[in-house]
Amino acid sequence: MFNEIVSYSENYKVQGFVVLDEDKSSALLSYFDLESETAVQTVSEEEYRGIIKSFNIDTLDLDIEGKTKSRAELGFLRKALFGNKTIGKCGICGKEYPISFLIAAHIKKRSFSSNEEKLDYRNIVMPMCKFGCDDLFEKGYITVSEGIISVNDKTTTKPLKRYLGHIEGKRCGYWNVNTIKYFDWHRNHHSLSKVR
Ligand SMILES: [Zn+2]
């Protein structure tokens, strides 16, 4: 299986310690889902800039090079948000979790963001938990208006209503003069898609 994944010949025998090149490592990491969310690679701000500018929209995330870049981008964003912390706070519900349960979430959808906006990583990204907040924000069930979390009028169920009830009206600590434009984009984006 190893030979197949790293595209060695079928009969190749691993006989000692070998360092795989980047492509082979990438193939192996993604096949076995070995990407760690806590032990992220160290990426400098300069490298991050290079990555953002070099993304090719047409092949984005599909090839190994794209995956390597995505991993580096994510690594950088997580490092910027969490540093060396192992515990962090969700920016929506305010609860503390091990950072493997927190996402470096784009307030303005990443796919809609310009390079300039992506480079504004101190403001466009915030931590959201995997226990619901990230998905609810991503899908537009919640938005942030004047710094307060508000609930959108969408199809819901009792358990979901209960969850939304816990976060509705909370103050979002990430809403400020630098992030307001991203929150406003998010709110407008979802109020438009609701009408459509
Ligand atoms: Zn949360």
Side-chain angles (χ1 to χ4, degrees):
M1 189 185 273
F2 171 83
N3 288 343
E4 195 185 325
I5 295 164
V6 301
S7 35
Y8 281 158
S9 75
E10 213 179 310
N11 305 319
Y12 179 83
K13 283 193 175 62
V14 182
Q15 287 181 314
F17 179 82
V18 179
V19 176
L20 298 174
D21 67 23
E22 197 165 304
D23 287 359
K24 291 184 172 57
S25 301
S26 260
L28 208 62
L29 286 171
S30 52
Y31 187 88
F32 289 107
D33 207 14
L34 293 174
E35 288 165 33
S36 166
E37 282 171 352
T38 42
V40 291
Q41 71 183 98
T42 309
V43 178
S44 69
E45 175 159 359
E46 206 180 328
E47 285 167 322
Y48 177 72
R49 286 179 179 280
I51 290 161
I52 292 299
K53 286 179 183 151
S54 68
F55 262 123
N56 180 348
I57 297 295
D58 304 325
T59 59
L60 188 63
D61 295 354
L62 297 177
D63 56 4
I64 284 175
E65 200 195 337
K67 275 187 186 153
T68 305
K69 280 190 210 162
S70 296
R71 194 159 55 234
E73 180 187 0
L74 189 70
F76 176 80
L77 294 176
R78 293 188 64 83
K79 204 78 183 170
L81 269 187
F82 305 122
N84 291 321
K85 285 192 282 188
T86 51
I87 303 238
K89 223 180 216 179
C90 171
I92 298 290
C93 65
K95 289 178 181 153
E96 280 192 327
Y97 291 112
I99 60 162
S100 56
F101 293 102
L102 294 170
I103 306 251
H106 279 77
I107 301 168
K108 175 173 178 177
K109 262 188 210 297
R110 188 190 171 286
S111 52
F112 285 86
S113 301
S114 67
N115 280 355
E116 199 188 329
E117 287 169 329
K118 283 179 199 155
L119 293 173
D120 186 21
Y121 63 89
R122 284 187 185 86
N123 297 307
I124 203 167
V125 172
M126 66 181 271
M128 292 186 205
C129 74
K130 292 185 180 177
F131 294 95
C133 295
D134 175 58
D135 244 7
L136 290 169
F137 189 83
E138 169 82 27
K139 295 186 166 73
Y141 278 78
I142 49 172
T143 56
V144 176
S145 177
E146 297 299 310
I148 303 295
I149 292 156
S150 61
V151 170
N152 251 345
D153 181 24
K154 281 188 179 245
T155 316
T156 185
T157 63
K158 261 191 191 160
L160 183 50
K161 229 179 231 160
R162 216 164 18 239
Y163 192 100
L164 291 168
H166 285 307
I167 52 177
E168 185 170 25
K170 280 194 189 234
R171 179 163 287 280
C172 174
Y174 286 84
W175 186 86
N176 60 48
V177 69
N178 298 315
T179 58
I180 182 169
K181 55 180 184 279
Y182 303 129
F183 282 112
D184 285 354
W185 180 92
H186 174 263
R187 200 176 56 253
N188 290 333
H189 178 74
H190 286 288
S191 62
L192 289 175
S193 61
K194 206 171 59 183
V195 175
R196 238 185 270 142

